[in-house]
Amino acid sequence: MRTQSSVEIGTEWGIVSARQAGRELSKEVGFNNVDQARIATAISELARNIYLYTDNGMIGLEVVERGCLKGIKIVSRDEGPGIENLGEAMTDGHSSSNGLGAGLPGAKRLMDEFDIESEPGKGTVITAIKWLR
Amino acid sequence: MRIPILKLGKYLLISIQVELDDQTALQFQEDLLNRIHEEGSEGIVVDLTSVEMIDSYIAKIIGDVVEMSNLMGAKVVLTGIQPSVAITLVEMGVTLSGVPTALNLEQGLEKLQEELEG
């Protein structure tokens, strides 16, 4: 089993490749159908943010273990403008792209762990984990 | 990539069987509205049985398609939404409120018939 991969999000097709890679890896790890959809959807939201707000970035996927837990870790990394107001970006219904404003808060709810590090001008790193139950 | 739109009497039937990327979804939006205009269709069924993932952006496009078709005077029913898709949409907080849905194609057509006759 491949335990690590990364997908460049330069074009819109990167969004599709990233979520397909995520679905495949989560299937290999043993996630059920619903969790596969949760993981693929969260990846799609994160990859779309990279595509919309930055020139380029990548989605990294990794199989992780903590004690007897096994899971999948998604890392979204970009060198874009950063998120100025994290609280606002994590608020339901707030959209700076004319979307539904469900992107970041939605992705957080689909995953078990969710962490954002962002500095204006220096980019954003989002780390999210889903554990196998 | 283009999604085929089939005509059945006064209805249009669409079965989405590809992984929906943004461009395909937007192209579909335009194609469907043009077909409604050309054919004078009164009812549309969009079957999502083969769609494994809908993120918030694709959900917005689908909701918009329904609203735009309504503006033109055509009713749309979404059918075949997978359990995993329903779960992720609701967990994300995407409600697609006001969008008529049915379990499968057959019930979708019945629902349209009721709406159009009632």
Side-chain angles (χ1 to χ4, degrees):
Chain A
M1 179 168 81
R2 289 171 308 118
T3 56
Q4 224 175 346
S5 66
S6 75
V7 181
E8 295 265 345
I9 313 294
T11 65
E12 200 206 289
W13 270 102
I15 304 173
V16 176
S17 320
R19 67 195 185 208
Q20 281 173 345
R23 183 177 278 274
E24 265 166 49
L25 189 60
S26 55
K27 198 184 223 166
E28 285 176 34
V29 171
F31 282 104
N32 67 26
N33 193 273
V34 176
D35 276 340
Q36 286 173 34
R38 287 189 177 104
I39 292 163
T41 309
I43 292 171
S44 195
E45 302 292 351
L46 297 178
R48 188 180 303 286
N49 275 354
I50 293 177
Y51 172 70
L52 283 177
Y53 300 115
T54 75
D55 287 336
N56 63 65
M58 48 149 281
I59 296 282
L61 300 167
E62 201 183 323
V63 179
V64 285
E65 286 180 39
R66 187 187 294 163
C68 55
L69 284 174
K70 193 175 183 190
I72 192 166
K73 179 160 94 174
I74 309 167
V75 180
S76 161
R77 191 185 301 274
D78 69 67
E79 291 173 5
I83 302 170
E84 281 215 19
N85 190 334
L86 270 182
E88 208 170 56
M90 291 306 293
T91 306
D92 278 313
H94 171 82
S95 173
S96 38
S97 64
N98 206 16
L100 289 167
L104 283 182
K108 183 179 179 181
R109 277 198 291 270
L110 294 174
M111 301 295 287
D112 294 324
E113 293 181 23
F114 196 87
D115 177 66
I116 303 184
E117 282 172 50
S118 186
E119 221 180 302
K122 289 194 178 161
T124 303
V125 179
I126 298 173
T127 310
I129 299 179
K130 188 84 187 167
W131 297 112
L132 200 57
R133 275 171 298 175
Chain B
M1 202 172 332
R2 280 202 132 109
I3 294 169
I5 300 172
L6 306 178
K7 183 173 185 262
L8 180 73
K10 56 189 178 183
Y11 299 138
L12 294 177
L13 300 184
I14 298 101
S15 169
I16 298 182
Q17 309 217 343
V18 294
E19 167 97 37
L20 270 180
D21 65 282
D22 303 2
Q23 273 315 312
T24 306
L26 287 170
Q27 181 73 55
F28 166 64
Q29 188 174 75
E30 224 177 284
D31 287 350
L32 179 61
L33 296 177
N34 283 328
R35 278 297 287 276
I36 293 172
H37 182 69
E38 285 162 19
E39 314 277 5
S41 313
E42 294 172 10
I44 293 104
V45 179
V46 180
D47 186 67
L48 300 168
T49 306
S50 309
V51 175
E52 292 184 323
M53 195 230 58
I54 295 180
D55 70 8
S56 62
Y57 182 76
I58 298 291
K60 181 176 189 295
I61 296 181
I62 293 175
D64 286 351
V65 172
V66 173
E67 205 178 320
M68 290 166 183
S69 305
N70 288 344
L71 274 178
M72 292 180 65
K75 296 223 183 300
V76 185
V77 175
L78 301 181
T79 62
I81 293 179
Q82 292 289 324
S84 57
V85 172
I87 291 169
T88 48
L89 281 177
V90 170
E91 283 180 355
M92 274 199 298
V94 175
T95 52
L96 279 175
S97 56
V99 176
T101 54
L103 201 54
N104 54 41
L105 188 58
E106 195 177 355
Q107 293 182 14
L109 280 168
E110 278 170 22
K111 190 160 188 167
L112 270 184
Q113 213 139 19
E114 281 166 23
E115 290 223 13
L116 291 173
E117 284 164 11

